[in-house]
Amino acid sequence: MPSRPDTPRAPTAGPPTGPLPPFPLRVSGKVIKGFGRGSKELGIPTANIPVAGLSVGGHEDVESGVYFGWAGLVHDKSGGRTADVYPMVMSIGWNPFYKNTVRSVEVHLLTDFLEDFYGSHLNLLILGFIRPEYDYVDRDSLIDDIRTDIEVSKRSLEREAWSKERWQGSGDGWLLKEGSRSDGDTGEVGDKDVVV
């Protein structure tokens, strides 16, 4: 596992013209309890979805690392059901700093929530790769890199070709559907889809 390099990070990820293959990728799942570290230890709350069955385009594994894109959250809360799309940054990997023995999918929605949303449905439109997974010598270095990932995601999604993916990438309303599969009601999953 590579260690965090000491070189400056790029301010954005991906070309200005928008996503390149294999992106965008679609991932969908119910929000589950994770390790409980995002909010408590790192100050960066995450929504976790199951990694079982994660497969993209016929590959058994998506490269471990940090990705960015848009997240559709279908959420039952005290005032009723809501559905909205949020910018997100996510980690797929082993979290070597914590010596995890299982791979996880952890999503940080770039907004503040007043309540948990375990059991809610999350659809992810992954638009690009920010960086590989690194091992860290201390928690502060990990937090610094996550905060940089958040800023890279924000700046990347603000660009016109990337911001329009919020709606064009889900032109069929996929991001806001509960239990979404991209090919409608056929139950078929497309080449770029992951349903977990």
Side-chain angles (χ1 to χ4, degrees), residues 42 44 131 141-151:
L42 304 175
I44 303 163
R131 64 173 175 85
S141 297
L142 171 61
I143 292 170
D144 286 347
D145 246 12
I146 294 171
R147 295 211 181 280
T148 300
D149 296 333
I150 290 168
E151 292 306 312

Side-chain angles (χ1 to χ4, degrees), residues 9-21 23 66-69 126-131 152-153 155-162:
R9 300 268 308 269
T12 58
T17 54
L20 296 174
F23 303 103
V66 179
Y67 296 82
F68 71 100
I126 304 171
L127 298 180
F129 184 77
I130 294 177
R131 64 173 175 85
V152 168
S153 180
R155 284 190 295 269
S156 298
L157 291 170
E158 287 171 351
R159 298 175 295 174
E160 184 179 349
W162 297 84

Side-chain angles (χ1 to χ4, degrees), residues 120-138:
S120 297
H121 195 83
L122 197 58
N123 294 321
L124 306 175
L125 187 66
I126 304 171
L127 298 180
F129 184 77
I130 294 177
R131 64 173 175 85
E133 183 174 51
Y134 297 131
D135 198 357
Y136 294 87
V137 295
D138 59 52

Side-chain angles (χ1 to χ4, degrees), residues 169-193:
S170 66
D172 56 0
W174 179 83
L175 275 171
L176 297 176
K177 292 179 183 173
E178 187 168 4
S180 288
R181 292 179 181 258
S182 71
D183 299 328
D185 295 329
T186 66
E188 304 249 340
V189 179
D191 283 347
K192 295 183 180 182
D193 301 326

Side-chain angles (χ1 to χ4, degrees), residues 81-154:
R81 177 166 278 209
T82 64
D84 208 348
V85 176
Y86 304 96
M88 65 90 177
V89 62
M90 66 183 290
S91 169
I92 299 175
W94 299 93
N95 300 314
F97 178 75
Y98 287 103
K99 312 286 187 261
N100 286 2
T101 58
V102 295
R103 205 163 183 229
S104 63
V105 176
E106 299 169 309
V107 182
H108 176 67
L109 302 180
L110 304 183
T111 193
D112 293 323
F113 289 92
L114 299 177
E115 57 190 32
D116 289 331
F117 45 87
Y118 296 116
S120 297
H121 195 83
L122 197 58
N123 294 321
L124 306 175
L125 187 66
I126 304 171
L127 298 180
F129 184 77
I130 294 177
R131 64 173 175 85
E133 183 174 51
Y134 297 131
D135 198 357
Y136 294 87
V137 295
D138 59 52
R139 185 177 297 134
D140 289 340
S141 297
L142 171 61
I143 292 170
D144 286 347
D145 246 12
I146 294 171
R147 295 211 181 280
T148 300
D149 296 333
I150 290 168
E151 292 306 312
V152 168
S153 180
K154 286 179 184 176

Side-chain angles (χ1 to χ4, degrees), residues 67-80:
Y67 296 82
F68 71 100
W70 297 103
L73 176 65
V74 180
H75 177 46
D76 288 320
K77 59 182 188 176
S78 54

